[in-house]
Amino acid sequence: MFPLSSRSRRPAPKPPAPETRTLDVAGRLMPLTIRQHERATRITLRIEPGGRALKMTIPRGLAAREVNAFLDRHQGWLLTKLAKFSIGGSLQSGGEILLRGVRHRILHTGSLRGLTEAVTVDGLPVLRVSGLPEHVGRRIATFLKKEARADLEKLVTVHAKAIRATVSSISMKDTRSRWGSCSSEGNLSFSWRIVMAPPLVIDYLAAHEVAHLREMNHGPRFWSLCRKLCPDMDEAKAWLKRHGSQLHAIDFD
């Protein structure tokens, strides 16, 4: 008898590196990443949060001409979808910015020193911004971060007390893939851009992450607890679905 021999399995071939290119969508240049996937059976095209880039997944080995034909066929779809995203140029004196769901006219004071503050001028909401004109966007972002922290720290405290949960820390970030997160250690993080949304949406985000302190999942018990903390949950979720990408698209640099 011959000894049995075991054949070592060959490792699966690595997928090709993603292809990157720039796609012209009616004069708007969009970064496009094309990734081949072993299990993909069709082409999928996705707009990244904020509308600043595109991602495409294709079946492995798909011919370039088919990729190009797909992109040509979907120019109209891209135009329609990208139209809802804000584009740069509005964060100057005379432009507008949302604060807690209310549009504020941006007023550059011309002074190099002074606070950024929300005030009422002639009965209308105004955001007064000092500093150099080229720094208006960054100064607005700094103001929004401060306001977001104040709102969320207060709301988190209320919701955490309601369910007797302990919060270890709260941090503000500028994440594009999610509005907030909760770690198993009780660390909560939020996108400060949420302060541009109406108060009920800010409250929902705080309640959502606090609920994760008890339920680290999105099962029925989690949603039941989330609704208990925020009865307007459905309305807030619908608002984020309709308008969230527009908040991500604003360029403060």
Side-chain angles (χ1 to χ4, degrees):
M1 295 182 64
F2 295 97
L4 297 174
S5 62
S6 61
R7 295 182 180 179
S8 59
R9 294 184 178 179
R10 294 181 180 179
K14 292 183 179 180
E19 175 192 349
T20 57
R21 64 164 87 164
T22 300
L23 183 67
D24 188 336
V25 184
R28 184 172 180 176
L29 300 180
M30 300 289 297
L32 169 66
T33 301
I34 303 173
R35 189 182 302 272
Q36 297 188 38
H37 197 284
E38 192 73 37
R39 293 193 294 272
T41 58
R42 60 189 180 89
I43 301 175
T44 58
L45 181 61
R46 182 164 59 104
I47 301 174
E48 289 292 273
R52 301 184 182 211
L54 306 172
K55 279 194 175 180
M56 181 184 242
T57 302
I58 63 174
R60 190 161 182 174
L62 188 71
R65 65 177 180 276
E66 295 190 49
V67 173
N68 294 333
F70 180 93
L71 291 171
D72 287 341
R73 290 196 307 272
H74 287 78
Q75 280 275 323
W77 178 85
L78 282 171
L79 276 172
T80 301
K81 292 296 183 182
L82 290 171
K84 71 176 184 178
F85 293 101
S86 302
I87 54 179
S90 63
L91 296 185
Q92 300 297 331
S93 193
E96 292 183 333
I97 189 69
L98 284 169
L99 175 62
R100 300 183 182 94
V102 177
R103 291 195 174 275
H104 286 62
R105 182 170 60 86
I106 300 170
L107 175 62
H108 182 233
T109 64
S111 172
L112 294 181
R113 296 181 180 274
L115 297 175
T116 301
E117 56 183 350
V119 297
T120 300
V121 177
D122 296 329
L124 298 174
V126 170
L127 188 67
R128 291 201 303 206
V129 187
S130 60
L132 296 172
E134 59 266 31
H135 296 161
V136 168
R138 277 180 280 173
R139 290 181 73 90
I140 292 174
T142 299
F143 170 79
L144 293 179
K145 293 173 190 176
K146 180 181 177 182
E147 295 297 300
R149 176 174 287 279
D151 285 7
L152 287 163
E153 285 183 346
K154 180 179 178 180
L155 291 166
V156 164
T157 298
V158 171
H159 292 314
K161 183 177 180 180
I163 63 172
R164 297 182 181 180
T166 301
V167 178
S168 298
S169 68
I170 299 174
S171 61
M172 299 295 118
K173 297 183 179 181
D174 193 13
T175 51
R176 300 298 174 92
S177 59
R178 59 174 65 183
W179 287 103
S181 64
C182 172
S183 74
S184 56
E185 293 79 21
N187 301 312
L188 306 185
S189 67
F190 300 95
S191 169
W192 52 264
R193 290 173 182 259
I194 198 67
V195 78
M196 292 185 279
L200 73 91
V201 181
I202 306 171
D203 182 52
Y204 161 67
L205 181 60
H208 185 112
E209 299 310 329
V210 167
H212 278 312
L213 294 170
R214 287 282 179 257
E215 299 289 337
M216 291 294 288
N217 54 68
H218 286 105
R221 291 173 60 182
F222 165 80
W223 289 115
S224 176
L225 180 57
C226 194
R227 188 180 301 279
K228 182 179 179 180
L229 293 173
C230 179
D232 295 325
M233 179 182 77
D234 292 334
E235 184 181 350
K237 288 174 66 177
W239 192 97
L240 273 179
K241 185 176 181 180
R242 289 194 306 269
H243 306 291
S245 292
Q246 296 174 22
L247 306 187
H248 282 310
I250 299 172
D251 188 358
F252 291 91
D253 294 327

